[in-house]
């Protein structure tokens, strides 16, 4: 067992979705029939949703919301502790902004180079959201929750004005903020506002954890997650059943399980956010319960991957997109083989991430390692 001030369940949850993410990215890079129909612009009513391919793709939907939510949670815990120690507010803001800029630029440099075009994805969303949190962190939790829920509930109203599917009026500016854009040289699929709303909720949860540890609130985070998770899944079911507003124009064709789960990720619909945050909340609550029962195993796979998430993400993205883009391996195999490739890649990533975690711990003053 290893004692740590960190909450292992948060690292476990992050590590779990990183594993699923690798499978999706392997499929994106190498599967000749990779299924991407999670947007109203990439799906036409009646298009087939093969069960195995659809489920494999759908599994990955929980990854980005979890990654963004927990980034907000971890940042809030770190910042709230600094605030309680009386650290200079501007120094805290500067660190958050610098961290956000570094993460954001990774998308525009490393990821974009190996993708063969400018690619604005999850690192942009996280980095830009960090920068926003340098200002928003001064608001009360009630205000932050109000802002996040207002976007989740009402963001489709604004999006519909500037991004009606099928009308070919995509804009780079609106895509950076709330819609999407794709051309031969530029791809924007993670707009700021919806992902910021998820980070805000993660921040509030991180703040709540700190308050609970300081005995300022009685309801434990695990019970809170269970309650909120159930509420989110009920709200998702209502939105999906009504099959209208809240689905970002990606509606159910029928009552099959595929169409119930066929929600819009690009851009995120209310149904998508509710479903994925609901699933994440229940899984994280379960992991918190398990942590209490078995403690923390310092070399556990989920813990190691969760504690090295950024370098894990960059290394596997560089390998997969680089070989697909520059080594002619794009779409060279089938989905079944992608599962095998994923397993082999995870076997190789584990010892690397274990070594990297130790190397980073031995060099705490390194500015480069600080952000990886």
């Amino acid at each position: 067992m290893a004692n740590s001030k960190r909450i292992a369940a948060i690292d476990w949850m992050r590590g779990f979705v990183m594993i699923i993410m690798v499978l999706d990215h392997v499929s994106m890079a190498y599967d000749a029939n990779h299924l991407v129909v999670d947007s109203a612009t990439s799906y036409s009513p009646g298009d087939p949703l093969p069960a195995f391919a659809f489920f494999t793709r759908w599994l990955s939907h929980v990854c980005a919301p979890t990654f963004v939510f927990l980034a907000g949670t971890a940042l809030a815990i770190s910042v709230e502790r600094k605030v309680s120690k009386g650290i200079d507010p501007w120094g805290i803001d500067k660190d958050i902004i610098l961290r956000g800029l570094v993460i954001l630029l990774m998308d525009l440099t490393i990821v974009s180079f190996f993708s063969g075009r400018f690619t604005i994805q999850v690192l942009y969303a996280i980095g830009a959201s960090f920068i926003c949190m340098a200002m928003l962190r001064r608001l009360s939790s009630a205000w932050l929750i109000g802002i996040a829920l207002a976007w989740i509930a009402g963001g489709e109203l604004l999006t519909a004005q500037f991004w009606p599917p099928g009308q070919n009026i995509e804009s780079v500016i609106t895509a950076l903020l709330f819609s999407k854009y794709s051309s031969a040289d530029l791809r924007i699929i993670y707009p700021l506002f919806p992902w910021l709303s998820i980070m805000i909720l993660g921040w509030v949860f991180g703040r709540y954890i700190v308050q609970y540890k300081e005995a300022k609130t009685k309801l434990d985070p695990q019970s809170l997650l269970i309650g909120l998770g159930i509420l989110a899944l009920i709200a998702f079911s209502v939105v999906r059943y009504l099959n209208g507003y809240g689905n970002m124009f990606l509606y159910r064709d029928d009552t099959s399980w595929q169409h119930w789960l066929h929600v819009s990720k690009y851009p995120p619909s209310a149904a998508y956010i509710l479903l994925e945050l609901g699933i994440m909340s229940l899984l994280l609550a379960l992991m918190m319960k398990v942590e209490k029962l078995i403690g923390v195993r310092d070399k556990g796979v989920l813990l190691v991957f969760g504690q090295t998430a950024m370098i894990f993400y960059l290394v596997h993205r560089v390998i997969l997109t680089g070989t697909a883009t520059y080594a002619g391996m794009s779409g060279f195999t089938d989905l079944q083989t992608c599962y095998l490739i994923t397993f082999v890649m995870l076997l190789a990533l584990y010892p690397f991430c274990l070594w990297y975690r130790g190397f980073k711990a031995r060099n705490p003053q390194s500015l480069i390692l600080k952000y990886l």
Side-chain angles (χ1 to χ4, degrees):
M1 301 282 186
N3 295 319
S4 172
K5 294 182 179 179
R6 297 174 69 120
I7 300 173
I10 291 177
D11 290 321
W12 290 350
M13 188 69 211
R14 191 184 293 113
F16 173 72
V17 297
M18 298 303 288
I19 290 172
I20 299 174
M21 186 184 299
V22 173
L23 173 60
D24 185 55
H25 288 170
V26 169
S27 177
M28 281 197 299
Y30 301 150
D31 181 11
N33 297 303
H34 179 64
L35 187 68
V36 185
V37 290
D38 28 26
S39 171
T41 57
S42 59
Y43 175 80
S44 298
D47 285 352
L49 297 176
F52 181 49
F54 176 82
F55 183 72
T56 300
R57 173 61 180 170
W58 178 80
L59 277 177
S60 72
H61 277 184
V62 74
C63 298
T66 298
F67 205 46
V68 174
F69 182 96
L70 294 182
T73 298
L75 183 64
I77 292 173
S78 173
V79 168
E80 292 296 314
R81 287 173 177 167
K82 290 178 181 178
V83 170
S84 67
K85 294 178 182 178
I87 295 177
D88 174 51
W90 168 236
I92 296 175
D93 291 342
K94 187 165 59 175
D95 183 63
I96 296 173
I97 292 170
L98 181 58
R99 184 181 296 270
L101 284 172
V102 170
I103 294 173
L104 184 157
L105 288 173
M106 288 179 187
D107 249 356
L108 297 176
T109 54
I110 299 172
V111 175
S112 291
F113 173 78
F114 285 95
S115 299
R117 63 175 171 177
F118 282 109
T119 302
I120 297 177
Q121 296 183 343
V122 70
L123 296 185
Y124 158 78
I126 292 174
S129 294
F130 268 27
I131 294 169
C132 292
M133 290 311 305
M135 299 170 284
L136 292 174
R137 71 182 184 87
R138 291 170 172 80
L139 297 178
S140 68
S141 293
W143 270 103
L144 289 173
I145 291 171
I147 291 170
L149 293 183
W151 179 265
I152 293 171
E156 188 170 324
L157 292 172
L158 177 62
T159 306
Q161 305 305 311
F162 297 91
W163 184 77
Q167 297 190 22
N168 297 318
I169 58 172
E170 292 181 336
S171 159
V172 171
I173 298 300
T174 59
L176 288 170
L177 297 177
F178 51 80
S179 62
K180 67 187 289 285
Y181 180 91
S182 184
S183 69
D185 302 315
L186 174 64
R187 187 170 184 243
I188 305 171
I189 56 174
Y190 279 80
L192 172 61
F193 291 166
W195 295 100
L196 175 60
S197 71
I198 295 173
M199 179 169 286
I200 288 174
L201 294 177
W203 176 284
V204 173
F205 180 65
R207 182 182 279 174
Y208 188 89
I209 289 175
V210 173
Q211 292 172 343
Y212 179 75
K213 287 182 175 294
E214 295 174 350
K216 294 179 179 178
T217 184
K218 294 183 178 180
L219 182 66
D220 65 278
Q222 180 183 326
S223 298
L224 178 66
L225 285 170
I226 292 173
L228 292 177
I230 292 172
L231 284 175
L233 292 178
I234 291 172
F236 155 77
S237 299
V238 172
V239 171
R240 205 66 184 142
Y241 172 78
L242 294 175
N243 208 28
Y245 181 85
N247 290 286
M248 201 63 76
F249 314 107
L250 191 59
Y251 308 114
R252 285 187 296 110
D253 288 357
D254 54 48
T255 58
S256 65
W257 67 268
Q258 290 102 315
H259 280 281
W260 270 96
L261 300 178
H262 185 214
V263 289
S264 175
K265 182 181 179 182
Y266 307 118
S269 65
Y272 169 84
I273 294 174
L274 291 167
L275 174 60
E276 305 312 328
L277 290 187
I279 293 172
M280 181 215 70
S281 296
L282 296 181
L283 287 176
L284 183 55
L286 175 62
M287 290 183 182
M288 286 181 169
K289 177 66 174 179
V290 172
E291 181 182 354
K292 292 177 182 178
L293 294 175
I294 70 172
V296 182
R297 285 150 175 79
D298 187 53
K299 294 184 180 181
V301 173
L302 296 184
L303 186 73
V304 171
F305 285 160
Q307 291 181 344
T308 56
M310 185 58 71
I311 195 68
F312 178 109
Y313 178 86
L314 287 174
V315 168
H316 94 274
R317 280 302 305 270
V318 165
I319 293 172
L320 294 174
T321 57
T323 53
T325 303
Y326 299 112
M329 295 178 66
S330 178
F332 83 94
T333 190
D334 56 24
L335 183 55
Q336 288 82 356
T337 305
C338 287
Y339 271 81
L340 177 60
I341 294 172
T342 299
F343 179 72
V344 173
M345 176 164 278
L346 290 171
L347 285 179
L349 281 169
Y350 175 75
F352 167 77
C353 289
L354 185 62
W355 167 82
Y356 180 82
R357 186 182 66 171
F359 179 72
K360 184 175 181 178
R362 292 190 297 272
N363 295 274
Q365 304 304 318
S366 171
L367 290 177
I368 295 176
L369 296 179
K370 180 180 180 181
Y371 299 113
L372 295 176

